[in-house]
């Protein structure tokens, strides 16, 4: 009697697996020589959801962003999700909750962003502490355009123009496409009565006449404000 043909090792292992749909799929792929189907990638799914949440926040869809954050946290929380939640709650005016979340992130890899958030939260009630937080944020992440911009703008509101100049100039050079940083730098140059620098920025960035007029109006409002530097309003970017 002739010997039975040997069963290939991989096929034998497949035959030993439980008879589920995934096993039959593998068997069909082996028989047909087809490429294995791509397997789910939880890390990629999480990245896609985080990008979606960031877009919602950028578009001020904060309630929707918070709902998506909470849905992701049911799967598994992370420092990145906590930071996004803190940012959303700050934007929604839920400052106590946002502050608690930021403080919990000060020893993580998102410490710079947490200090930045604390700086924005405390700006109206404690400008000195706000500046300390914003400076710490820049120390931890010196190439982040938004952090440089907000520190420079806060210094400008406090009428500490010479200190604001290197921060806003750095923000503009790091992010040449950031209209907010550029507009803040133009306002600062107007306040410092450096018309030559104003015209240079206008020329190099193609700032139109109506935009420049609006920036001059903002600078005039800041210059004539009766608020002392210690009670400067909450930092926010111009533009």
């Amino acid at each position: 009697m002739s010997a039975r043909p040997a069963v290939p090792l991989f096929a034998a292992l497949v035959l030993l697996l439980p008879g589920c749909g995934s096993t039959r799929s593998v068997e069909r792929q082996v028989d047909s020589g087809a490429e294995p189907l791509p397997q789910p990638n939880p890390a990629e799914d999480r990245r896609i959801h985080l990008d979606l949440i960031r877009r919602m926040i950028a578009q001020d869809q904060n309630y929707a962003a918070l709902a998506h954050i909470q849905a992701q946290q049911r799967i598994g929380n992370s420092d990145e999700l906590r930071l996004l939640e803190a940012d959303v709650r700050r934007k929604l005016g839920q400052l106590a909750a946002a502050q608690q979340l930021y403080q919990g992130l000060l020893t993580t890899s998102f410490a710079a962003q947490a200090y930045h958030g604390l700086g924005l939260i405390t700006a109206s009630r404690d400008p000195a502490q706000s500046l300390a937080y914003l400076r710490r944020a820049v120390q931890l992440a010196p190439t982040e355009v938004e952090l440089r911009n907000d520190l420079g703008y806060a210094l400008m509101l406090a009428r500490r123009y010479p200190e604001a100049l290197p921060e806003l100039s750095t923000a503009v050079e790091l992010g040449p496409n950031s209209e907010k940083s550029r507009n803040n730098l133009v306002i600062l140059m107007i306040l410092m009565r450096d018309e030559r620098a104003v015209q240079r920025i206008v020329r190099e960035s193609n700032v139109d006449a109506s935009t420049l007029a609006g920036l001059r109006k903002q600078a005039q409002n800041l210059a004539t404000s009766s608020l002392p530097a210690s009670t400067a309003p909450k930092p926010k970017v111009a533009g």
Side-chain angles (χ1 to χ4, degrees):
M1 186 174 70
S2 60
R4 296 177 60 186
V7 179
L9 177 60
F10 179 75
L13 292 173
V14 169
L15 293 173
L16 291 174
L17 294 173
C20 62
S22 61
T23 301
R24 288 192 295 271
S25 174
V26 172
E27 289 173 340
R28 287 194 296 271
Q29 293 169 35
V30 171
D31 293 339
S32 65
E35 291 291 330
L37 294 173
Q39 298 301 306
N41 187 335
E44 180 66 13
D45 290 345
R46 173 60 66 94
R47 185 192 64 78
I48 291 172
H49 276 96
L50 290 176
D51 288 344
L52 172 64
I53 291 167
R54 291 190 186 92
R55 287 198 298 272
M56 288 180 175
I57 296 173
Q59 296 168 6
D60 284 331
Q61 297 174 355
N62 295 306
Y63 286 107
L66 183 58
H68 278 274
I69 290 169
Q70 292 168 336
Q72 287 298 300
Q73 288 173 332
R74 288 176 62 86
I75 300 172
N77 210 350
S78 67
D79 290 338
E80 191 168 11
L81 278 171
R82 292 185 185 94
L83 175 63
L84 291 172
E85 181 184 355
D87 288 342
V88 167
R89 292 195 184 280
R90 172 174 56 80
K91 288 174 176 288
L92 291 173
Q94 300 172 12
L95 302 185
Q99 183 168 349
Q100 184 176 4
L101 285 164
Y102 284 134
Q103 288 174 337
L105 293 166
L106 294 179
T107 58
T108 71
S109 60
F110 297 98
Q113 291 77 11
Y115 277 111
H116 175 247
L118 289 171
L120 297 180
I121 286 176
T122 58
S124 58
R125 67 173 183 265
D126 192 345
Q129 181 62 69
S130 172
L131 280 173
Y133 283 140
L134 293 173
R135 286 189 188 280
R136 182 58 179 155
V138 167
Q139 288 173 354
L140 292 173
T143 61
E144 287 291 327
V145 174
E146 183 180 6
L147 274 54
R148 287 278 187 179
N149 176 77
D150 286 0
L151 173 57
Y153 191 72
L155 288 165
M156 181 169 65
L157 288 180
R159 297 173 183 169
R160 294 161 65 169
Y161 303 149
E163 295 175 67
L165 179 57
E167 302 302 335
L168 290 177
S169 297
T170 301
V172 169
E173 292 184 8
L174 288 172
N177 295 323
S178 172
E179 291 186 6
K180 292 178 180 180
S181 299
R182 180 207 65 194
N183 289 351
N184 286 336
L185 183 58
V186 171
I187 292 172
L188 178 62
M189 293 297 95
I190 294 171
L191 290 170
M192 295 181 74
R193 302 178 184 276
D194 191 342
E195 188 62 25
R196 200 171 183 180
V198 171
Q199 293 304 320
R200 176 180 56 79
I201 299 171
V202 167
R203 182 175 61 256
E204 293 177 353
S205 302
N206 296 317
V207 178
D208 60 59
S210 62
T211 298
L212 179 58
L215 296 176
R216 290 190 186 279
K217 180 64 175 177
Q218 291 184 55
Q220 181 181 10
N221 291 339
L222 288 175
T224 58
S225 171
S226 59
L227 288 175
S230 61
T231 58
K234 175 181 177 180
K236 61 180 180 179
V237 290

